[in-house]
Amino acid sequence: GLTIISQIRYVHYFADQLRLIKQGLPSSVGESSSPAFSLLRVKLNTIPHFDLDGGCDPFIQVNVKSEGAHEVVQVFKSAGKTLHIKPAAGSWSEDLQESGVRVAGDVQVVFYDADLIFAPKQMCSTWFHTLFVKAPPKDMCGTSKELSSSECQELNLPNSTWALTFTKPEVDGAAKDTKCAKFEAEFAVTFYLLEMAGEFGSLPAV
């Protein structure tokens, strides 16, 4: 059977895609024909325990599965010096450039822990598909919410931003930590995305 959480998610995506096809609704999952979103911010809810004091030095990498290149392509990686985050901080977030990073189709966000001596260690990751950002299937596909104007203002995000949240059992690498050695039971990752109306694919139309 399937053991990787994101693989299980894509089984549910496929079932939902069949439903969309039967209803005659947009259902293409190819990268170039998938709705484009700007990934504005990522957030860790509770701090993973990867350092001696129970904190970590987080940074991220964002990948998309490119049709043109026939491979997974990196579209963003945290730049600059990482900051050590202690558990008491409760959460950590990073804004992706000034206006976010354009993504479409299959998207992977990988969270790493930086180290002064050793190579960075992958903490957790998740795949999602932009076709299902606004209405994810019920099982293992996260929960989605369009933020209100007041919520967007409070979070300093553009109006109509969507928050896509995956709980611990829905995150690759975190789900297996049943004893909460590295990830608290309340651990979750949230992606803040703004739909690019009428745009498709991870590259702007030429």
Side-chain angles (χ1 to χ4, degrees):
L2 298 176
T3 57
I4 299 175
I5 299 302
S6 286
Q7 289 179 341
I8 298 171
R9 176 172 307 122
Y10 273 72
V11 171
H12 294 294
Y13 279 168
F14 180 67
D16 214 50
Q17 184 191 16
L18 293 179
R19 179 186 62 80
L20 293 173
I21 291 172
K22 289 179 181 178
Q23 294 178 353
L25 298 172
S27 56
S28 177
V29 294
E31 178 252 330
S32 62
S33 54
S34 295
F37 283 79
S38 181
L39 179 56
L40 304 171
R41 180 180 298 166
V42 300
K43 181 181 179 182
L44 293 175
N45 300 283
T46 75
I47 304 301
H49 313 314
F50 277 77
D51 291 343
L52 292 176
D53 66 353
C56 63
D57 302 66
F59 71 94
I60 66 166
Q61 180 176 319
V62 181
N63 306 312
V64 296
K65 195 175 288 184
S66 170
E67 285 179 341
H70 303 290
E71 62 182 1
V72 175
V73 176
Q74 176 186 311
V75 294
F76 177 84
K77 189 173 184 178
S78 302
K81 181 176 172 59
T82 57
L83 296 175
H84 180 70
I85 310 297
K86 295 184 177 182
S91 66
W92 169 86
S93 64
E94 179 172 350
D95 290 343
L96 281 65
Q97 303 173 1
E98 284 188 14
S99 57
V101 172
R102 180 175 176 142
V103 295
D106 298 305
V107 182
Q108 182 191 35
V109 182
V110 187
F111 294 87
Y112 291 95
D113 173 43
D115 193 282
L116 291 174
I117 302 173
F118 302 104
K121 182 178 294 184
Q122 182 173 323
M123 298 190 291
C124 61
S125 66
T126 192
W127 283 93
F128 65 90
H129 196 287
T130 60
L131 180 63
F132 304 100
V133 165
K134 297 198 294 185
K138 290 182 179 179
D139 297 314
M140 303 304 291
C141 296
T143 55
S144 185
K145 175 189 177 185
E146 184 175 13
L147 301 180
S148 66
S149 296
S150 59
E151 287 173 320
C152 289
Q153 185 175 5
E154 182 180 345
L155 294 170
N156 196 27
L157 290 166
N159 284 340
S160 302
T161 293
W162 287 79
L164 177 64
T165 298
F166 295 93
T167 59
K168 180 180 176 178
E170 298 173 315
V171 177
D172 298 326
K176 292 183 178 180
D177 181 27
T178 56
K179 295 185 178 180
C180 299
K182 298 288 188 183
F183 301 91
E184 299 290 337
E186 300 80 17
F187 176 77
V189 297
T190 299
F191 305 118
Y192 296 94
L193 299 121
L194 183 66
E195 186 173 19
M196 305 177 74
E199 295 281 334
F200 299 89
S202 54
L203 295 174
V206 178

